[in-house]
Amino acid sequence: MNKALLAQYLLGIVAMVVFAYIASYYPQYNTQLFIGYFILMTVIMFAFTGKQAGQMMRDLQEIQAAEVVYKVKRDTIAKLKEKDFHLLKDEMAGQWKSMLVSFVPLIAIIAVFYIPPLRDAFFSVGKMFSSEERMANFISFLFLYGIFYVFTIPLSIINMRKQATRGTLSVAGEYVVTEKGIIVDNRLPIKFPVKGKIDVNSRRKFVEIHTTQSTMGVNVKTKIRLYSPEPGKLARIIREKSSTVEEDSGSAEG
């Protein structure tokens, strides 16, 4: 297991105990605690992804500074996606289901707080171990958060494994191709040479780049779809620019 995921899981266990303690003994600080937790999680994620984010920013600037050779605007892509809607909907359905499944534990814990019979059942657990009210609440909260955590972790691991093996589909809303690479939705840089397979679907009007992206230290297969009124031309440009960069690199090394 990589360091980023291990830190995330360990922090989750610590947070679970702290939340249970604060909710039981100092409930007036619950809001501040949740805010602090999200700030801490953001800092930890940035610590593990900051280097990668910095490289992406440099790639983005380098690609933007180069000459534009091909560009497709948002309204053009919207029309092409509309024509391809039924097939695209089926392709995205699996990803949407995975996203919905990841919210099941959160929905369950909210239900416990808002459905009186469920709430009473969970909070009776602590009374089985302690007659002192705050300690009983602490045990009950710990039990509740523990169940939430036990269900969340396997779902998270299963989802990451699916993404790592099957890959995820990302459809560009707009993009621009320059001499140095591709910028997707003004935020995702893909430098030349493109590392990965390039598929063309002339009938459905798109080019698909198969690549890998690192998320919290986990390599995830990603398919980046670029809808285009001229998919053959777009694929030819990407391949030509990639082969040119590879040849230049080889010459420089020689």
Side-chain angles (χ1 to χ4, degrees):
M1 185 179 293
N2 65 71
K3 292 180 180 179
L5 285 177
L6 182 61
Q8 185 179 358
Y9 293 146
L10 289 176
L11 180 63
I13 294 172
V14 173
M16 179 175 65
V17 176
V18 173
F19 283 168
Y21 182 81
I22 296 295
S24 304
Y25 289 88
Y26 304 99
Q28 66 272 25
Y29 296 119
N30 276 341
T31 301
Q32 294 91 323
L33 181 66
F34 276 102
I35 293 172
Y37 173 74
F38 283 114
I39 292 173
L40 180 61
M41 281 296 295
T42 302
V43 171
I44 289 176
M45 288 183 67
F46 183 78
F48 284 102
T49 61
K51 184 177 180 181
Q52 180 186 352
Q55 184 60 52
M56 285 183 66
M57 284 301 299
R58 289 190 290 273
D59 290 346
L60 195 64
Q61 291 171 355
E62 182 180 348
I63 296 170
Q64 283 177 329
E67 181 184 351
V68 174
V69 295
Y70 193 83
K71 184 177 183 179
V72 180
K73 295 182 179 180
R74 189 171 293 274
D75 56 346
T76 301
I77 291 178
K79 292 175 183 177
L80 294 173
K81 284 171 64 177
E82 186 177 353
K83 292 179 181 178
D84 194 41
F85 175 73
H86 292 294
L87 292 174
L88 178 60
K89 180 184 68 175
D90 292 338
E91 290 171 326
M92 297 297 292
Q95 289 183 197
W96 293 335
K97 287 178 182 176
S98 296
M99 289 176 62
L100 289 174
V101 168
S102 65
F103 284 103
V104 169
L106 181 60
I107 294 171
I109 202 170
I110 291 173
V112 168
F113 278 102
Y114 285 94
I115 299 176
L118 285 176
R119 185 173 63 245
D120 294 341
F122 270 96
F123 281 93
S124 66
V125 173
K127 295 175 183 178
M128 297 168 58
F129 297 93
S130 176
S131 58
E132 201 276 313
E133 184 180 357
R134 288 186 296 183
M135 176 55 73
N137 285 340
F138 173 69
I139 295 171
S140 296
F141 275 117
L142 203 57
F143 179 65
L144 177 62
Y145 294 150
I147 290 179
F148 172 74
Y149 201 66
V150 165
F151 277 101
T152 300
I153 296 303
L155 286 174
S156 175
I157 293 173
I158 290 170
N159 193 37
M160 282 191 295
R161 285 181 177 175
K162 282 183 178 179
Q163 289 181 349
T165 54
R166 299 179 185 177
T168 59
L169 174 60
S170 177
V171 181
E174 62 180 331
Y175 61 91
V176 59
V177 184
T178 77
E179 294 285 351
K180 294 292 185 179
I182 308 166
I183 297 176
V184 177
D185 294 328
N186 295 311
R187 58 177 178 80
L188 175 64
I190 304 172
K191 280 192 72 175
F192 290 143
V194 169
K195 297 177 182 178
K197 186 171 67 170
I198 300 170
D199 284 341
V200 184
N201 193 316
S202 299
R203 181 176 61 84
R204 295 176 61 189
K205 300 290 185 180
F206 66 72
V207 173
E208 213 165 65
I209 298 172
H210 296 237
T211 183
T212 58
Q213 292 181 329
S214 179
T215 304
M216 291 293 288
V218 178
N219 289 326
V220 177
K221 292 180 180 179
T222 305
K223 293 180 287 185
I224 301 171
R225 180 171 297 179
L226 308 174
Y227 279 95
S228 167
E230 305 167 296
K233 178 180 178 181
L234 173 60
R236 186 168 60 253
I237 291 172
I238 294 173
R239 287 170 177 150
E240 286 176 355
K241 297 301 177 186
S242 295
S243 62
T244 301
V245 171
E246 287 173 342
E247 289 170 4
D248 290 345
S249 298
S251 299
E253 288 172 3

